[in-house]
Amino acid sequence: MTYRAPITQSDLQAYCDGQLSPARRREVEQYLLDHPEAAEQVDDYQNLNDAIHELYDPVLDEPVPAQLAIHPRRQKRRLVSVAAAAAWIGLGAMFGWYMHSTTVSMTQPGPLNLHLVQPAAFAHSIYTAEVKHPVEVPANEQEHLLKWLSKRLHTEITAPDLSAQGYYLVGGRLLPSTDRMAAQLMYERNDGIRVTLYIRHGAWENTLTAFQYDQRGKIALFYWIDGPLGYALAAQLSRNELLKLSETIYHQLN
Amino acid sequence: MTQLADQLVEYIPRLRRYARALLRGDALAADDLVQDCLERALSRLHLWREDSDLRAWLFTIMHNIYVNQVRKSVNSLALVELSRDLEPQTGSATAELHLELRDLNQAINSLADDQREILLLVSLEGLRYQEVASILGVPVGTVMSRLSRTRDKLRNLMGETKHARLRRVK
């Protein structure tokens, strides 16, 4: 087996922490088969990670003490400031919602909004926040994932390769959408930014549309129809960054 | 904005977990740290950049408070207490596991602050090396080399206690 670069301690460590690209991970996996000492080290590192979780994870299940909203040992002045800040956030939210409903949704009614943009944004916000279960089938079972999704959606589903843009496939899942099933593929950048591609059939009016842009809170989306399928790419990225990714995906799928 | 506040709330359990580990199991001091962190975050939400990661931002705030305020007062006390549920249960099948976890807890508590922070941010919080580097304000290479040294240290330590116990059993 030849490796693109020698396997280093840093690779072994990044392997344990799930911070390698899929290609490099496969190389490390191969390397571990041939190097039992390294395999033992990785095993110990992973056990250590597990033990650390075992030690501290019980805190996650504790009820959050009321003092974290309001701390009894502190002066009232500080409480007031937290409450005031929260109130301002509430006001801001109401204003934001009002602006949103008058400027965005009112101008973009219709089936694409209902069946594509809205569910894609919702699914994005739910699953990108997941730490332990962001995807149903991880990228190391990519072949199985795509076969399964293709079968369920009755269309060949492929996963665009965004590694040149710095995004690696995390995996994907099958989702119920408004009136059909949908597939969600998730990608991740090194700094943790996650992008999801939402794909589904629909009784679309057109079989080809240009890229259209929309925003749901902090989530930016580009969506388009290509043949029988609707696509929505969602991320907390700037419009330009997201557009570039959309173009890359569009070209790869055609 | 309300989404932001909701997201803040969602992170509270994780902030508490990290603070508890960072403060060596002192639940009161840890929740104080979380409280300070939340207050500071709320008062500075306008400074938070839309395209940056909220979680990393929160951990940055917590790190800064820890370094500037908490560490000074906490380190003067020797807080190497064992959490109660980690006390070994003699004779049970899980006793061995508990002993090992207890040893690990002690070992992590005795690490230098920067080593403990890096280990916890990566192993416990699952943050990327780059994120940890920017939270702690050190180069990413430093994060990786310190992490590697810390893990080897713990690995050796755990290996030693395991062997010592085996010898005792014989």
Side-chain angles (χ1 to χ4, degrees), chain A residues 7-241:
Chain A
I7 306 288
T8 63
Q9 281 296 317
S10 298
D11 286 312
L12 296 182
Q13 188 152 261
Y15 174 80
C16 298
D17 296 322
Q19 301 200 21
L20 287 179
S21 70
R24 190 62 172 165
R25 194 169 60 217
R26 278 192 291 276
E27 289 187 349
V28 170
E29 273 163 6
Q30 187 58 46
Y31 177 86
L32 293 177
L33 290 178
D34 304 334
H35 297 80
E37 254 182 48
E40 198 186 333
Q41 182 190 349
V42 163
D43 207 36
D44 282 352
Y45 279 5
Q46 284 172 335
N47 285 338
L48 187 61
N49 276 355
D50 290 345
I52 287 172
H53 275 282
E54 212 169 321
L55 264 177
Y56 303 113
D57 278 357
V59 180
L60 293 179
D61 298 328
E62 291 176 9
V64 172
Q67 68 177 54
L68 279 184
I70 293 161
H71 200 299
R73 286 193 290 141
R74 290 173 198 273
Q75 298 97 3
K76 282 215 171 110
R77 198 169 52 79
R78 297 192 68 181
L79 303 184
V80 170
S81 69
V82 174
W88 275 111
I89 291 166
L91 273 180
M94 279 157 63
F95 182 67
W97 174 247
Y98 173 75
M99 291 302 287
H100 175 81
S101 55
T102 51
T103 57
V104 181
S105 297
M106 296 289 278
T107 55
Q108 297 178 334
L112 286 187
N113 188 42
L114 177 69
H115 296 300
L116 191 58
V117 179
Q118 198 65 39
F122 193 38
H124 178 90
S125 67
I126 293 176
Y127 292 112
T128 54
E130 276 287 333
V131 179
K132 278 195 177 167
H133 312 291
V135 294
E136 202 167 354
V137 180
N140 57 12
E141 297 170 43
Q142 183 171 346
E143 201 178 319
H144 163 70
L145 168 70
L146 297 174
K147 236 164 128 179
W148 171 56
L149 291 176
S150 301
K151 194 175 152 201
R152 295 307 304 269
L153 268 68
H154 306 293
T155 307
E156 198 196 338
I157 302 290
T158 54
D161 179 4
L162 302 178
S163 53
Q165 285 71 33
Y167 293 84
Y168 298 101
L169 186 68
V170 181
R173 59 170 74 235
L174 184 71
L175 292 167
S177 191
T178 46
D179 56 353
R180 306 280 165 96
M181 276 184 277
Q184 185 193 52
L185 298 175
M186 191 184 296
Y187 294 81
E188 190 173 67
R189 201 163 73 179
N190 266 337
D191 61 3
I193 292 275
R194 284 172 166 175
V195 177
T196 59
L197 180 63
Y198 187 87
I199 309 166
R200 55 158 288 177
H201 280 284
W204 317 119
E205 277 176 34
N206 302 303
T207 52
L208 193 64
T209 67
F211 290 140
Q212 298 177 65
Y213 180 74
D214 203 345
Q215 210 163 348
R216 288 285 183 279
K218 288 211 310 283
I219 302 168
L221 300 107
F222 269 102
Y223 60 102
W224 66 95
I225 305 293
D226 188 3
L229 290 176
Y231 297 88
L233 186 71
Q236 292 191 16
L237 285 174
S238 73
R239 187 187 170 122
N240 264 344
E241 279 178 288

Side-chain angles (χ1 to χ4, degrees), chain A residues 9-11 13-20 37 40-42 44-45 48-49 51-60 62-65 67-71 73-74 78-79 81-82 85-86 88-90 92-93 125 129 131 188-193 215-219 236-238 241, chain B residues 1-5 7-8 10 12-14 16-17 20-21 27-29 31-36 38-39 42-43 45 48 50-53 55 85-86 97 101-102 104-105 108-109 119-120 122-131 143-145 147-152 154-155 158 162:
Chain A
Q9 281 296 317
S10 298
D11 286 312
Q13 188 152 261
Y15 174 80
C16 298
D17 296 322
Q19 301 200 21
L20 287 179
E37 254 182 48
E40 198 186 333
Q41 182 190 349
V42 163
D44 282 352
Y45 279 5
L48 187 61
N49 276 355
I52 287 172
H53 275 282
E54 212 169 321
L55 264 177
Y56 303 113
D57 278 357
V59 180
L60 293 179
E62 291 176 9
V64 172
Q67 68 177 54
L68 279 184
I70 293 161
H71 200 299
R73 286 193 290 141
R74 290 173 198 273
R78 297 192 68 181
L79 303 184
S81 69
V82 174
W88 275 111
I89 291 166
S125 67
V131 179
E188 190 173 67
R189 201 163 73 179
N190 266 337
D191 61 3
I193 292 275
Q215 210 163 348
R216 288 285 183 279
K218 288 211 310 283
I219 302 168
Q236 292 191 16
L237 285 174
S238 73
E241 279 178 288
Chain B
M1 278 298 259
T2 191
Q3 271 187 332
L4 255 184
Q7 283 180 40
L8 269 185
E10 277 174 36
I12 290 178
R14 298 181 59 154
R16 292 185 73 223
R17 174 179 68 174
R20 187 83 61 91
L28 272 181
D31 281 343
D32 269 358
L33 177 58
V34 174
Q35 167 92 5
D36 286 344
L38 289 174
E39 281 179 3
L42 276 174
S43 69
L45 272 184
W48 181 67
E50 285 267 315
D51 55 344
S52 65
D53 188 67
R55 179 176 61 146
D85 23 315
L86 291 171
L97 180 68
L101 279 184
R102 194 188 62 169
L104 178 65
N105 194 30
I108 291 175
N109 286 348
L119 178 74
L120 293 172
V122 173
S123 286
L124 193 60
E125 295 308 325
L127 291 170
R128 305 224 146 231
Y129 303 142
Q130 188 59 57
E131 288 178 306
V143 168
M144 294 188 71
S145 60
L147 179 62
S148 177
R149 276 203 299 275
T150 305
R151 277 182 169 149
D152 283 336
L154 292 176
R155 188 181 175 223
M158 297 312 280
K162 212 189 290 177

